[in-house]
Amino acid sequence: MFFFYLLLSFMLTSTLLANKITDDHLALLAFKNGVTSDPSGALSSWNIETVHFCNWTGVSCSSHKHPKRVTALDLSTLGLGGFISPSIANLSFIQSIELSINGFSGEVPPEFGFLHRLQYLNLSFNALHGVVPVNLANCSKLRVLSLFSNQLTGSIPVELGQTLPKLEKLVLGNNSFTGVIPSSIGNLSSLTLLSLTLNNLQGIIPEELGRLSKLITFLVAGNSLNGSIPPVLFNISSLILFSVTSNELDGSLPPSLGAKLPKLTKLFLGGNKLSGTIPASLSNASMLQTIGLSKNKFSGTVPPVFGGMNGLFLLNLERNQFQASDAKDLSYIDSLVNCSNLQAFSIASNDLGGVLPQSLTNFSKELRFLFLDYNHFSGIIPHGIENLISLNIMNFGGNDLTGQIPEHIGNIPMLQILSFEDNKLTGNIPSNIGNLTQLAEFRISGNKFEGTIPSTMKNLHQLTTLDLYDNSFRARDTRRNLLANNYHFVFWI
Ligand SMILES: *[C@@H]1O[C@H](CO)[C@@H](O)[C@H](O)[C@H]1NC(C)=O
Ligand SMILES: *[C@@H]1O[C@H](CO)[C@@H](O)[C@H](O)[C@H]1NC(C)=O
Ligand SMILES: *[C@@H]1O[C@H](CO)[C@@H](O)[C@H](O)[C@H]1NC(C)=O
Ligand SMILES: *[C@@H]1O[C@H](CO)[C@@H](O)[C@H](O)[C@H]1NC(C)=O
Ligand SMILES: *[C@@H]1O[C@H](CO)[C@@H](O)[C@H](O)[C@H]1NC(C)=O
Ligand SMILES: *[C@@H]1O[C@H](CO)[C@@H](O)[C@H](O)[C@H]1NC(C)=O
Ligand SMILES: *[C@@H]1O[C@H](CO)[C@@H](O)[C@H](O)[C@H]1NC(C)=O
Ligand SMILES: *[C@@H]1O[C@H](CO)[C@@H](O)[C@H](O)[C@H]1NC(C)=O
Ligand SMILES: *[C@@H]1O[C@H](CO)[C@@H](O)[C@H](O)[C@H]1NC(C)=O
Ligand SMILES: *[C@@H]1O[C@H](CO)[C@@H](O)[C@H](O)[C@H]1NC(C)=O
Ligand SMILES: *[C@@H]1O[C@H](CO)[C@@H](O)[C@H](O)[C@H]1NC(C)=O
Ligand SMILES: *[C@@H]1O[C@H](CO)[C@@H](O)[C@H](O)[C@H]1NC(C)=O
C-alpha cells in the first residue's frame, strides 16, 4: 500500500516535472486568484483535480505540443471582476487573450511584455486604469490591441509604432488618454483599424498617418485635435470609415478630396472649425452613405455632387454658412432625387435663399427627417410634399415662406414633429391635420394664420407641444376647440 502510494506520488511528480505542467497550471490558478467576482461561476471548473486545465472554461491548448500548453484564453462577457494577475506572463505559449466586456479593474500588467507569441489582446469594456505599459511594445507578433472603453490615462506610448509591425487593429477609444497622437503610428504599415475616439488627445493629426496604406477605419472623433486634416489622408484609397467629428480642426478640404476614395461609405467631419467649400471631387466617392459636415464654417454654394451616390442615407449640412440665392445654387437638391435610400437630410441654419425646389417632393419615399429650418427660403411649400410618406420630422421653421400649409399634409401617417414656425404663412390650418395621429409637436407660431384651429385636432392624442403663439386665430373659437379635448400638453396662445 505504502509502495503503491510512493509509486503514484512518483508518477505524479514525474508527470508534473516531465510535462512542465506547473507553469501554465500555476499561472491559471494565480489568474483565478485575482478574480474576486465570478457571478456565473465560469471559473468553478478551474480545478486541476477534476478536470485537466486544457478543459477549463475559456482555456484552449495546443493540440500537438507535449506537454500541452495554453494558447488562448477567452473569458469575454462573464461579468468577471478583480484584477488581471501578472502571472498571465507565465503562459508563455499564449497567442490570444480575450477578456473584453467584464469588470476587471486595476492596471494592465506590464508583464504582458513577456508574451512574445501574443497576437491578440482584447481588454475592451472593462474598468482598467493606469497607463498603457510600454512593455506591450515587446509583443512583436501583436495583430490586435484593443483597450476600448476603460479608464486608462497617460499618453499613447510612441514605442507602439516602432516595434509592432504586424499590428492590424489598434483600438484605444473611450479612455482618458492625453498628449498627442504619436507620429510613429504611421509606421504600422499593416494597420486597418485605428480608433482613438473619445479621449483627451491634443495637437495635430500627424501627416505620417498618410503612410497607413491599408487603413480602412480611421476614428479620432471626440478629442481636442487642432490644425488641419492632412490632405494625404484622403489619398488612402482603402478607407471606408473616416471620422474626425468634435475636435478643433480648421482649414479647408483639399480640392481632390473624393478623387481617391472609391470605398468610402462614411465621412464624419462635423463639430469642427472647417471652412471653405465642398470640393466637386466628392462626387467621385460614390459609395458614400453617410455625410456629416454639420457645425463647421463651410461656405459657398453646395455643389451638385450627390446624384451618383445611390446608397446615400444621411446628408447633414446643418449649422454652416452655405449660400444660395436661386434655383441654380440649389441644384444639389435636385441631384438628391437619385438617392433612393436617403433617410435624413438637413440643411438647417445656413444662409440659403431662393424658392424651395419642387424636386423635394420627388425625394426618396424612405425619407424620415427633413430639416430646412432657419434659412431664408421664400415662395411656397412645394405642392406634393405629402409624397414623402415616411417622414417623422418635417421642419420648415424660420424662413420667409408664403402661401398656405399644403392641403394634404394629413397624408403623412408617421409624422411626429411638424414645424412651420416663424414664416409668413397664411390661411387656415387644414382640417386633415387631425389625421396625423402620431403628431407630438406642432409649431406654427410667428405666422399669419387665421380662422380657428380645426376641431379634428382632438384626434391628436400624442400631442405634447402645440405652439400657436403670434398668429391671427379667432381666440374664442380656438379656445373652445382646444378645451373640448383632454389635452395634456403645453401650448402658448
Ligand atoms: C478534455 O475533455 C475531453 C472530453 O471531455 C477529453 O477527451 C480530453 O482528453 C480532455 N482533455 C484533456 C487535456 O484532459
Ligand atoms: C512565473 O513562474 C515562475 C516559476 O514558476 C515563478 O517563480 C514566477 O513568480 C511566475 N511569475 C509570475 C508573474 O507569476
Ligand atoms: C520590454 O521592453 C522594455 C523597454 O521597452 C524593456 O525594459 C523590458 O526589459 C522588455 N521586456 C519585458 C519582458 O517587458
Ligand atoms: C474586442 O471585444 C469587443 C467586445 O467583445 C468586440 O466587439 C471587438 O470586436 C473586439 N475587438 C477586436 C479588434 O476584435
Ligand atoms: C465609454 O465608457 C463609459 C464608461 O467608462 C461607458 O459608460 C460608455 O458607454 C462608453 N461609451 C461608448 C461609446 O462605448
Ligand atoms: C517610426 O516613425 C518615426 C516617426 O514617424 C520615425 O522616426 C522612426 O524612424 C520610425 N521607426 C521605424 C522602426 O520605422
Ligand atoms: C494646437 O494646440 C496646441 C495646444 O494644445 C498648441 O500648442 C498648438 O499651437 C496648436 N496648433 C495649431 C496648429 O493650432
Ligand atoms: C496623393 O497622391 C498623388 C499621387 O497618387 C500625389 O500626386 C499627391 O501629391 C498625393 N497627395 C498628398 C497630399 O500627398
Ligand atoms: C472623378 O474621377 C475621374 C476619373 O478618375 C476624373 O476624370 C474626374 O475628373 C473626377 N471628377 C472629379 C469631380 O474630381
Ligand atoms: C441619376 O442617376 C442616373 C442613372 O443612375 C444618372 O444617369 C444621372 O446622371 C444621375 N443624376 C444626377 C443628377 O447625378
Ligand atoms: C418627379 O418625378 C416625376 C415622376 O418620376 C417626374 O415626372 C417629375 O418630372 C419629377 N419632378 C421633379 C421636379 O423632379
Ligand atoms: C383625413 O382627414 C379628412 C378630413 O378631416 C377626412 O375626410 C379623411 O377621411 C381622413 N383620411 C384618413 C385616411 O383618415
Side-chain angles (χ1 to χ4, degrees), residues 307-308 310 335 338:
N310 297 321
S335 79
N338 259 9

Side-chain angles (χ1 to χ4, degrees), residues 34-35 40 43 48 58 81 101 150 161 165 220 222 229 241 245 248 270 282 287 297 327 351-352 374 406 477:
V35 175
S40 67
L43 303 191
I48 191 68
I101 319 186
N150 280 284
V220 298
I229 304 170
L241 168 52
T245 304
E248 290 156 26
L282 190 63
M287 295 300 278
K297 296 176 177 171
D351 193 10
L352 302 168
Y374 291 92
D477 296 344

Side-chain angles (χ1 to χ4, degrees), residues 283 285-288 304-312 335-336 338-339:
S283 65
S286 58
M287 295 300 278
L288 273 170
V305 290
F306 310 106
M309 299 174 187
N310 297 321
L312 194 63
S335 79
L336 284 165
N338 259 9
C339 306

Side-chain angles (χ1 to χ4, degrees), residues 334 337 357-362 387:
D334 304 336
V337 168
Q358 184 64 31
S359 58
L360 273 175
T361 65
N362 274 7
N387 289 348

Side-chain angles (χ1 to χ4, degrees), residues 340 342 361-367 387-391:
S340 54
L342 193 65
T361 65
N362 274 7
F363 267 31
S364 163
K365 296 212 185 315
E366 313 264 306
L367 194 72
N387 289 348
L388 305 177
I389 51 165
S390 301
L391 277 182

